Each structure stands twice: as C-alpha cells, then as structure tokens.
Amino acid sequence: MMRLPKFEYRVPRTIAEAVKIVGDVGPTAQFVAGGTDLYPNMKRRQQTPRTVISVMRVPELNQITGDGKSGVRIGASVTLTDIVEHPLINRDYPVIAYAARTISTPILRNMGTIGGNLLLDTRCNYYDQNYEWRKGINFCLKKDGDVCWVAPGSSKCWAVQSSDLVPVMVAIGAKFRLASTLGERMIDAAGFYNDDGIDYLKKRPDELLVDIHLPPTNGWRASYQKLRRRGAFDFPVLGVAAYIKFENGRANGERTVRDAKIVLGGIAPSPIQIAEASAALIGHAFDDEYIQAAAEAAYVKARPLDNTDFVMNWRKQMARQYTLRALRALAVSD
Amino acid sequence: MGKQKAHIQFVLNGETAEVAFAPHKTLLEVLREDLGLMGTKHGCELGECGTCTVLVNGRSILSCLMLGLDAEGQDVKSIEGMANGSQLHPLQETFADTGAAQCGYCSPGFLLVAEELLKKNPNPNRETIKEALSGNLCRCTGYIKIYEAVELAAARMRGEEMELPRASVYGLE
C-alpha cells in the first residue's frame, strides 16, 4: 500500500496568512489545492514537502468575476468542474471550458483546480513511477538521480509540460497574478514557463498563484485539440491551441488575419509557440492554403521526445494534423 | 510532527461521526482503518481507477486523494449510506438485475457517481452517462451492462417502464 509520507498540514483563510506561512517555513513547504497532482507524487516520493499548505479555504481564490467585455478573473482554487459548468465561461470563453473538460475525468475535475492544472508538475515515463521503480533505474535527473534517461548526454531535464490549459492560456494572452510577502506581481502566461523539466516555472516557491486574468473577448477566437490514448483520464501527449484575430472589415469579400498564434503542449518541458505558423497566417485570408502552411510549420518545429505514451515520430506527425484541426475549427465557426 | 492524532467530526451517511487518526491519512484510510467501513475500495491509490469514490456534499471525489482532515464538518456519503435501511437504492437493484457487477470491486464507485448523475439529470442519454462514468474503471463485466443499469434505474426513478434489449438479458439473440 502506498501511503502519504508524514507532513504538517496548514489551512490558511487569507492570502496574507498563506504567503506568511510559506515565507516562514521556507522551501520545504508547498501549496496544495485539489491534491490530484501533489498527493500521488507524494505517495511515490517524487515530491516530499515537510509542510503542506492548503489554499482551498481562502475565499478570494474561489471566485470567478468579470465578463467577456472587461475580461474575467478566475481564482486559482476554482475547481475544473466549476469552470466546465460555468455559464459565463461557456458563453465568452468556450475554449477554456472545452480544454478544461478534456482534463482527466469528472471525479478528478471535481477536486482538481485551474491553478493546480497551470502549475502541474512536468511528467515523464522515467519520473512518474513509484519509488521502487525509480530506484531500479538508479533514479533520474529530475528527482534523486543524476542522469536524464530520455537524453543521457543532456544536462537538462526533458520532462513534459502536460497541462491542457497551459497552451490555451499562452495562446489567448492570459496573465497570472502571484503574491508573496514581498508583494504582488503580474506575469504573462507566455513568459511563465521555462524550457526545463525541473525548473519549469518562473514562480518562486514562496509565491502563491492568486488568480488568472483572461483578456477581453474583443474579436478573437481560439480552439484546442488534444491527443491522448483514451477519451478520459489521460494527460495530453500533444495539445494544440490556436488563436486568430481578424482585421476589421473585409478585402475582396475575405477577412484578413491580423494576429495568429499556434501553441503546442505535451511535447517539451514548456509550451512551444510556433512563430513560423503565425507568420504563415498573418496578413493573408484565412483559407486552407495558409492553414496548411501553418500546420507544416508546427510539424517542423515539434520535436517530441520518447518519454510519454505513443511513438515520438507519430506524435510529431500528429502536430501537423492537430494544428490543421485546431485552425479549421476556427474557420468553420464564422 | 505526525505523532499527535487528529480528531475530527463530520457527517457520515447521515449520522455524526467522530474519529481520531494519524493526520497524514487519506479519507480512504480513515474510512477503512479507523471507522471500519470496508465498502470504499482501495484501488490504484493514485486517482487512476475511481473505486475509492465517495460523495462529499453531494459531489463525487476520490477518497484516496483527499486528506481525512479535510472531511472535518463536511457531509460524506460512502456506499454504506446508499441503501435506506434494508431498502436498496434503485441503482443497487438494477446493478443486480442487469448483471452490472461481476467481481463487484468497482461497483461502490460506479454506484455513487451514478447517484450523483441522476440527482443532477434524471433522464440522461447514453453519451451523458458515459461521460459521467468515465472516471471509473471496470475490468470484468465491461461497461454496457453498467450503462443499462443506470438507464433502467433512471427510468424506474421517473416512474416509467423500461425493457432491456433481449440481447442484454439473454445473451446473443
């Protein structure tokens, strides 16, 4: 039987109290929200905080406020089920509701939170194993070992960014608010993730993710496509978020693309923005010729490694297909 | 750290429960080891199977990933609280009638998630049932009989008659 290791459990009621505890205890403390990422990792001794600080009883973290006109703030402890079922999110940000609904299972979405999903630990076939399994391979670079078994010559950890919401947040230009005893700061989702499986966040351990700021819905549209083996439970082994904004008015009856973003998740330690895909789309009509060029750019740039489910070359090929699907979904919903 | 037992009170299957336990225990461990309720099953212990599901304030959660401490003051329902005395819940009856349980290890989780679904939606279609039950794994009977049991119970709870396909009741036609 896998039991949790012993730890001290704290349940603050305010943001100030939460950041004071983590500031006082230091790096052996860790925040927890739904527990669906941290507790399995603790059972397998991948993460071993001595103090666990729940952020589920902080009322400010449990709210959704605003609307599509002014932008929406989602508290970090709002559960994924509440996002999937929220009328305003479904009306104004259907891509968020859709991506959240592809996460895991209904029961896990009842527990898991948006903050937890955005901070999800990176995943790898050599890391997401129980203690004895990892001991059997002399551990790995990410935890307790000194070799990355995915790329043994590498000095960097290649564990994979595996959240469905991360590529979407990067694509639509969301911002995250962080708090610590030193004060607050806002950070763009696009600049929040490092391409390193160990040091994968710009968030310091003493910082609390407070809320997520979605931009106003002034004319952009976005979609998400997820690759996984089963229709439930599984993490993405490729996720494609597409974002499009058109110029006002039409030229020759066609709408011209003013801005476009393609962001791939599930193939590297960080979400990957495909600048060449944006370049292929911007300034042109949104028709299949340019969509195919963008998909080709995503295929060229996608370099998945052999450390998740499915063969890596097939995942690379799927980057083209899933980018096509994500963009075509935006074309038909005119 | 960890030496002192935690002591909490919560509502369990409609009655006030008081229990003392090591503070790092999960709700699953508290239910089985400290309260002696063996209906909630130990499966994967990692959130990948759904057999440890209980309802907290009417919402399905995995008791293997919830701390016992977090149950304080909450309304918890385990499979032991599903029947009303000797009167089985309609879902329990139809699971038996349709053969939706074989080894039965996954049944407590399926039953509670199905109960949650029918409370929200008394007339779900097959797709809705599939999605609602997608967090529960069954490794022996397969899912068809489970879906049919939920449909049959839903019909009975609405006061309607429903016949199962002959193929389901008698095997291949």
Side-chain angles (χ1 to χ4, degrees), chain A residues 293-304:
Chain A
E296 189 61 24
Y299 166 74
V300 170
K301 278 281 162 147
R303 294 200 182 86

PDB file of all heavy atoms in Angstrom, chain A residues 293-304:
ATOM      1  N   ALA A 293       0.083  25.716 -44.538  1.00  0.00           N
ATOM      2  CA  ALA A 293       1.456  26.201 -44.324  1.00  0.00           C
ATOM      3  C   ALA A 293       1.746  26.328 -42.832  1.00  0.00           C
ATOM      4  O   ALA A 293       2.843  25.986 -42.362  1.00  0.00           O
ATOM      5  CB  ALA A 293       1.643  27.547 -45.028  1.00  0.00           C
ATOM      6  N   ALA A 294       0.749  26.792 -42.091  1.00  0.00           N
ATOM      7  CA  ALA A 294       0.924  26.923 -40.638  1.00  0.00           C
ATOM      8  C   ALA A 294       1.091  25.545 -39.998  1.00  0.00           C
ATOM      9  O   ALA A 294       1.930  25.353 -39.102  1.00  0.00           O
ATOM     10  CB  ALA A 294      -0.280  27.651 -40.029  1.00  0.00           C
ATOM     11  N   ALA A 295       0.305  24.578 -40.452  1.00  0.00           N
ATOM     12  CA  ALA A 295       0.389  23.222 -39.909  1.00  0.00           C
ATOM     13  C   ALA A 295       1.753  22.602 -40.213  1.00  0.00           C
ATOM     14  O   ALA A 295       2.340  21.889 -39.385  1.00  0.00           O
ATOM     15  CB  ALA A 295      -0.740  22.357 -40.474  1.00  0.00           C
ATOM     16  N   GLU A 296       2.278  22.897 -41.399  1.00  0.00           N
ATOM     17  CA  GLU A 296       3.599  22.394 -41.771  1.00  0.00           C
ATOM     18  C   GLU A 296       4.666  22.977 -40.837  1.00  0.00           C
ATOM     19  O   GLU A 296       5.590  22.269 -40.392  1.00  0.00           O
ATOM     20  CB  GLU A 296       3.897  22.765 -43.228  1.00  0.00           C
ATOM     21  CG  GLU A 296       5.135  22.117 -43.811  1.00  0.00           C
ATOM     22  CD  GLU A 296       5.058  20.595 -43.840  1.00  0.00           C
ATOM     23  OE1 GLU A 296       3.929  20.047 -43.837  1.00  0.00           O
ATOM     24  OE2 GLU A 296       6.129  19.948 -43.834  1.00  0.00           O
ATOM     25  N   ALA A 297       4.514  24.271 -40.521  1.00  0.00           N
ATOM     26  CA  ALA A 297       5.475  24.916 -39.616  1.00  0.00           C
ATOM     27  C   ALA A 297       5.437  24.260 -38.242  1.00  0.00           C
ATOM     28  O   ALA A 297       6.477  24.042 -37.604  1.00  0.00           O
ATOM     29  CB  ALA A 297       5.154  26.408 -39.504  1.00  0.00           C
ATOM     30  N   ALA A 298       4.220  23.911 -37.767  1.00  0.00           N
ATOM     31  CA  ALA A 298       4.091  23.248 -36.469  1.00  0.00           C
ATOM     32  C   ALA A 298       4.767  21.876 -36.509  1.00  0.00           C
ATOM     33  O   ALA A 298       5.463  21.469 -35.572  1.00  0.00           O
ATOM     34  CB  ALA A 298       2.621  23.104 -36.091  1.00  0.00           C
ATOM     35  N   TYR A 299       4.606  21.172 -37.639  1.00  0.00           N
ATOM     36  CA  TYR A 299       5.231  19.850 -37.794  1.00  0.00           C
ATOM     37  C   TYR A 299       6.754  19.969 -37.736  1.00  0.00           C
ATOM     38  O   TYR A 299       7.433  19.199 -37.048  1.00  0.00           O
ATOM     39  CB  TYR A 299       4.801  19.228 -39.127  1.00  0.00           C
ATOM     40  CG  TYR A 299       5.632  18.036 -39.533  1.00  0.00           C
ATOM     41  CD1 TYR A 299       5.476  16.809 -38.896  1.00  0.00           C
ATOM     42  CD2 TYR A 299       6.598  18.151 -40.536  1.00  0.00           C
ATOM     43  CE1 TYR A 299       6.260  15.725 -39.259  1.00  0.00           C
ATOM     44  CE2 TYR A 299       7.378  17.082 -40.904  1.00  0.00           C
ATOM     45  CZ  TYR A 299       7.208  15.862 -40.255  1.00  0.00           C
ATOM     46  OH  TYR A 299       7.988  14.799 -40.598  1.00  0.00           O
ATOM     47  N   VAL A 300       7.305  20.946 -38.445  1.00  0.00           N
ATOM     48  CA  VAL A 300       8.761  21.110 -38.493  1.00  0.00           C
ATOM     49  C   VAL A 300       9.310  21.422 -37.106  1.00  0.00           C
ATOM     50  O   VAL A 300      10.334  20.882 -36.685  1.00  0.00           O
ATOM     51  CB  VAL A 300       9.133  22.225 -39.495  1.00  0.00           C
ATOM     52  CG1 VAL A 300      10.614  22.589 -39.386  1.00  0.00           C
ATOM     53  CG2 VAL A 300       8.793  21.799 -40.919  1.00  0.00           C
ATOM     54  N   LYS A 301       8.594  22.274 -36.358  1.00  0.00           N
ATOM     55  CA  LYS A 301       9.099  22.718 -35.053  1.00  0.00           C
ATOM     56  C   LYS A 301       8.864  21.721 -33.921  1.00  0.00           C
ATOM     57  O   LYS A 301       9.544  21.758 -32.904  1.00  0.00           O
ATOM     58  CB  LYS A 301       8.435  24.060 -34.682  1.00  0.00           C
ATOM     59  CG  LYS A 301       9.107  25.248 -35.332  1.00  0.00           C
ATOM     60  CD  LYS A 301      10.364  25.607 -34.573  1.00  0.00           C
ATOM     61  CE  LYS A 301      11.268  26.471 -35.435  1.00  0.00           C
ATOM     62  NZ  LYS A 301      12.032  27.433 -34.652  1.00  0.00           N
ATOM     63  N   ALA A 302       7.885  20.846 -34.073  1.00  0.00           N
ATOM     64  CA  ALA A 302       7.557  19.910 -32.995  1.00  0.00           C
ATOM     65  C   ALA A 302       8.649  18.849 -32.897  1.00  0.00           C
ATOM     66  O   ALA A 302       8.920  18.142 -33.865  1.00  0.00           O
ATOM     67  CB  ALA A 302       6.203  19.262 -33.268  1.00  0.00           C
ATOM     68  N   ARG A 303       9.278  18.774 -31.736  1.00  0.00           N
ATOM     69  CA  ARG A 303      10.311  17.752 -31.553  1.00  0.00           C
ATOM     70  C   ARG A 303      10.042  16.974 -30.263  1.00  0.00           C
ATOM     71  O   ARG A 303      10.773  17.126 -29.274  1.00  0.00           O
ATOM     72  CB  ARG A 303      11.696  18.396 -31.498  1.00  0.00           C
ATOM     73  CG  ARG A 303      12.083  19.034 -32.817  1.00  0.00           C
ATOM     74  CD  ARG A 303      13.585  19.228 -32.934  1.00  0.00           C
ATOM     75  NE  ARG A 303      13.853  19.885 -34.210  1.00  0.00           N
ATOM     76  CZ  ARG A 303      13.823  21.206 -34.366  1.00  0.00           C
ATOM     77  NH1 ARG A 303      13.560  21.987 -33.359  1.00  0.00           N
ATOM     78  NH2 ARG A 303      14.067  21.728 -35.561  1.00  0.00           N
ATOM     79  N   PRO A 304       8.986  16.142 -30.278  1.00  0.00           N
ATOM     80  CA  PRO A 304       8.695  15.374 -29.069  1.00  0.00           C
ATOM     81  C   PRO A 304       9.805  14.361 -28.787  1.00  0.00           C
ATOM     82  O   PRO A 304      10.475  13.909 -29.715  1.00  0.00           O
ATOM     83  CB  PRO A 304       7.381  14.667 -29.412  1.00  0.00           C
ATOM     84  CG  PRO A 304       7.306  14.656 -30.890  1.00  0.00           C
ATOM     85  CD  PRO A 304       8.065  15.847 -31.372  1.00  0.00           C
TER      86      PRO A 304
END
